[in-house]
Amino acid sequence: MNWRVAEVVNVVPETPRVKTVAFDVPGWPGHRAGQHVDVRLTAEDGYQAQRSYSIASVPDGTRVELTVERLEDGEVSPYLTDGLRPGDRIELRGPVGGYFVWEPSQGGPLLLVAGGSGVVPLMAMIRARAVAGSDIDARLLFSSRSWEEVIYRGELERLGGGGLTVVHTLTRSQPPGWAGYARRVDAEMLVEVGPSPSRLPGVYVCGPTPFVEAVAEALVELGHEPHRVRTERFGPTGGE
Amino acid sequence: MDALMLDGNAVAGILQEVFAVEMTTAIGTCNRCGGTDRVGALHVFRGAGIVMRCPHCDNALVTIVEDGTRVWIGFAGVRTLQVTV
C-alpha cells in the first residue's frame, strides 16, 4: 500500500469549523463506505505528521472527499481545513479498514448514531445507500451542539424519506421553536428512534470516545447484540 | 474511561502496511481473559508508541513503535490472531 499524491480539487465549508476537501488521487482503487485514508503532511524541515480520516464520498473514479473538523490544538486538521487551496498536494494512503464498513448488499435495517464529525463515515454509508437506489430501513440519530453545527444539514434533508429517517438532537443550543431532542443521546432516545433490537439491525456508532462509549453501552443494555454494534472512536474532541 | 482512547480502526493503515492484508477484521484472542474481538474493536492508546488493549480486561495485547524507517510490533498479550487469507 503506497503513499499517493493527492491534489486538492476544491474546498467546501460545511459548518463554521468543518470543511470538505475534495482530492483527485490518480490510481485510486475505489473504496467502501466507512473506510479511511491516512493523510501525511511533510514540513520543509522533513518533520512528518500523520492522521487517519474517514472518507465522506462514495466511489467516483479518482475523486476522494474528506470532511475534516478543525481542532484548535490540532497538528494536521487546521492545515487541512484552512491551509489548502485547489492545486495543493498532500500524501494519502488507503483505503484502509474493513471493520467499520457497510455496503448496500449487506441490507438492513440500519441504525447509524453520530456525534459531531463522527457523521462522516456514516454519511458515506447513507450516500452509498442512495446511489444504490436502496430503500432499506435506515435511521440516523445525529447529535450536534447546535443547528449551525449540523454537518451535511441540507443534504440530509434532501435524502430523508424513502426509508431513511434522520433524527437530530441538539445538545447545547436550539433554534427558536425547536421541537426535537435537546439532550445527549440516551437509552430512551435510542428506543424511540429504533429499530428494535429484535429486528437485528446493523448498528454503527461514530464520534468522540466518550460519546461512543455511552451510546454503545446503552445499545447493548437495550438488547442489541454486541457484535452487531460497530464502533469508531476519534478521541476527545468534536461535537456531542 | 480515557477520552484520548481510540480504537483499532485508527491503526488500520500501519497494520495493513506491515501485514499486507486488511487487519481490522482479524480476530484476536486475549491471553489473559480469553476474550475475542475484531482488531477494529480493540482499544488503542497513542503515546510515544501505540498500545492496543483488550476491551474486556485492559490487557496490553499489541504494542507498535515506529521510527520512520522501521516498525517494532510486539504481541505480548495475544494468544492467537485469526486472519482471513
Side-chain angles (χ1 to χ4, degrees):
Chain A
M1 197 173 44
N2 297 322
W3 290 97
R4 301 169 192 274
V5 174
E7 183 173 323
V8 177
V9 178
N10 66 359
V11 182
V12 178
E14 300 280 358
T15 74
R17 295 189 303 138
V18 176
K19 288 182 182 165
T20 293
V21 185
F23 296 94
D24 180 55
V25 191
W28 183 250
H31 59 273
R32 295 182 289 158
Q35 287 190 297
H36 321 166
V37 292
D38 290 341
V39 168
R40 181 165 77 178
L41 303 178
T42 306
E44 284 175 15
D45 65 2
Y47 174 75
Q48 291 188 325
Q50 189 178 315
R51 293 290 182 281
S52 181
Y53 290 96
S54 292
I55 302 170
S57 53
V58 291
D60 177 17
T62 57
R63 185 184 174 95
V64 175
E65 294 178 9
L66 307 181
T67 299
V68 179
E69 176 177 18
R70 187 183 68 239
L71 308 178
E72 296 310 332
D73 55 350
E75 205 174 33
V76 174
S77 66
Y79 178 75
L80 295 180
T81 55
D82 299 335
L84 289 179
R85 302 286 176 270
D88 288 347
R89 289 172 178 185
I90 64 164
E91 285 182 293
L92 184 153
R93 175 172 77 178
V96 294
Y99 169 72
F100 198 81
V101 161
W102 179 80
E103 291 180 282
S105 60
Q106 289 173 236
L110 202 53
L111 172 60
L112 311 174
V113 188
S117 57
V119 74
V120 175
L122 308 181
M123 190 63 181
M125 297 175 191
I126 289 170
R127 286 168 166 164
R129 176 185 171 281
V131 166
S134 166
D135 62 356
I136 64 155
D137 179 350
R139 307 177 194 198
L140 171 66
L141 175 56
F142 187 2
S143 177
S144 305
R145 290 177 183 145
S146 68
W147 192 235
E148 293 69 37
E149 292 187 71
V150 176
I151 303 167
Y152 308 131
R153 200 173 68 199
E155 185 177 351
L156 286 170
E157 278 176 27
R158 286 194 300 277
L159 288 174
L164 173 66
T165 306
V166 178
V167 179
H168 293 282
T169 183
L170 304 176
T171 57
R172 290 205 188 159
S173 66
Q174 302 80 32
W178 176 252
Y181 293 120
R183 61 180 199 269
R184 292 181 178 210
V185 173
D186 56 26
E188 185 187 346
M189 198 184 295
L190 289 164
V191 168
E192 288 169 0
V193 170
S196 150
S198 64
R199 292 182 59 203
L200 303 179
V203 186
Y204 294 81
V205 185
C206 185
T209 300
F211 173 90
V212 171
E213 293 295 296
V215 172
E217 194 174 314
L219 286 164
V220 171
E221 279 175 15
L222 290 172
H224 290 275
E225 293 174 33
H227 76 272
R228 289 185 186 278
V229 179
R230 291 176 186 243
T231 53
E232 180 159 291
R233 303 161 174 87
F234 56 64
T237 48
E240 22 143 331
Chain B
M1 193 267 306
D2 182 340
L4 291 170
M5 183 179 86
L6 299 168
D7 53 46
N9 301 299
V11 292
I14 179 66
L15 292 178
Q16 188 166 332
E17 184 72 17
V18 171
F19 292 99
V21 292
E22 204 294 297
M23 287 295 288
T24 59
T25 52
I27 298 170
T29 300
C30 174
N31 69 7
R32 185 160 87 189
C33 75
T36 59
D37 289 277
R38 302 275 178 182
V39 169
L42 300 181
H43 291 170
V44 166
F45 299 84
R46 278 183 192 276
I50 293 164
V51 180
M52 306 184 72
R53 290 185 178 276
C54 174
H56 308 287
C57 76
D58 218 31
N59 188 22
L61 302 178
V62 181
T63 54
I64 305 172
V65 177
E66 294 178 85
D67 79 346
T69 58
R70 293 168 295 179
V71 58
W72 290 261
I73 304 186
F75 291 95
V78 179
R79 183 183 300 160
T80 59
L81 193 59
Q82 175 188 321
V83 184
T84 303
V85 292

